[in-house]
Amino acid sequence: MLRYIYQAGAWNDGRAFSYDHDDPYGLDVRNKLLSDYIQDRRGNCITMPFLFIILGQRLGLDVTPAMAPLHVFVKFTDDDGVTHNLEATSGAGRARDQHYRDLLPITDAAISNSVFLAPLDAKQSVAVIAAVIVEELIAQERYHDAMAVADILIEHYPMFAYIMVKKATASYHLLRTEFHEKYPTAQGVPEDQRPYLAYLQRVNQGMFDRAESLGWRALER
């Protein structure tokens, strides 16, 4: 499987799958789609691990995704019951948990709360894949829809701190477009709009507080 994915040859028409250094974080939402990765063979830390997992599971391997800040990697459990981290963005080489902790803001609380470095079950995995929907809705300025989808994903993956932050981001954009840009001061907000303002403020602060209480910390790119 490693040869098929990462080495060029007749088995993949001489086009190996590789890391997309032009858009490593998948800022262009299309680059987070598996169909795009299969077509152009250039992936990121979403498409690369999930293709590896799909193929591995088809072959009967015990492989699941796991989260790190703004990153997904593979957990592989061998026939002896030993679990290894495989870094799909780097030829599926092995990586210790400490490797991710050295590079990324992973707190002890985030580990104990299974926010990061824990294998994901089927529902959680689908939630991670569906995160791209929230990102695209925000990009389209459909902030209410983004918040609604985020709620569904959090329901199925209660420790999904990344989506909590995305919901907070969507509420911030609503605060910005519907209040901050229209009313110079809070006193200028019409009375009938103040409950909505208070609601958005609660969502924005509450989602950040919830994520941070689980051990999430912002990652500086």
Side-chain angles (χ1 to χ4, degrees):
M1 189 170 76
L2 296 183
R3 182 175 71 165
Y4 177 82
I5 296 175
Y6 297 110
Q7 297 179 25
W11 48 87
N12 54 25
D13 297 324
R15 298 174 60 218
F17 292 81
S18 61
Y19 192 55
D20 184 357
H21 291 281
D22 293 332
D23 187 13
Y25 290 105
L27 299 180
D28 182 338
V29 172
R30 292 170 297 181
N31 291 335
K32 286 189 175 180
L33 301 179
L34 195 60
S35 57
D36 178 83
Y37 179 39
I38 292 173
Q39 181 177 10
D40 66 19
R41 309 292 172 93
R42 300 172 68 213
N44 50 55
C45 65
I46 298 296
T47 55
M48 298 186 82
F50 276 108
L51 177 63
F52 189 96
I53 290 165
I54 290 168
L55 294 177
Q57 290 181 349
R58 288 290 184 91
L59 294 172
L61 301 178
D62 185 354
V63 285
T64 59
M67 294 283 291
L70 298 181
H71 190 72
V72 178
F73 61 97
V74 179
K75 290 275 188 181
F76 164 59
T77 302
D78 62 25
D79 293 338
D80 295 324
V82 179
T83 299
H84 312 269
N85 299 331
L86 303 181
E87 184 47 61
T89 62
S90 184
R94 296 184 185 183
R96 297 180 181 274
D97 284 355
Q98 191 61 45
H99 165 75
Y100 297 104
R101 299 203 69 176
D102 289 342
L103 296 175
L104 300 165
I106 299 177
T107 64
D108 291 341
I111 293 176
S112 64
N113 288 319
S114 297
V115 175
F116 298 130
L117 306 185
L120 305 182
D121 63 23
K123 285 186 177 181
Q124 294 167 338
S125 300
V126 172
V128 171
I129 294 171
V132 69
I133 299 172
V134 177
E135 295 168 347
E136 177 64 7
L137 289 171
I138 291 175
Q140 293 177 5
E141 301 182 3
R142 295 169 57 185
Y143 305 124
H144 287 291
D145 291 336
M147 291 167 62
V149 175
D151 284 339
I152 295 172
L153 301 189
I154 293 169
E155 178 183 351
H156 289 86
Y157 183 3
M159 302 304 176
F160 201 176
Y162 174 75
I163 285 299
M164 295 175 193
V165 173
K166 284 298 178 183
K167 182 179 178 181
T169 300
S171 65
Y172 162 76
H173 284 301
L174 287 170
L175 285 167
R176 174 180 57 81
T177 57
E178 300 193 18
F179 292 99
H180 299 164
E181 294 177 355
K182 293 180 180 179
Y183 309 105
T185 65
Q187 290 73 24
V189 177
E191 284 286 344
D192 63 344
Q193 290 294 305
R194 291 184 182 181
Y196 179 43
L197 170 62
Y199 161 73
L200 292 176
Q201 290 172 330
R202 288 196 305 271
V203 170
N204 180 259
Q205 189 62 54
M207 283 293 99
F208 277 118
D209 289 346
R210 185 173 170 185
E212 290 182 348
S213 73
L214 292 171
W216 172 87
R217 298 294 182 269
L219 172 62
E220 295 184 5
R221 295 181 176 177

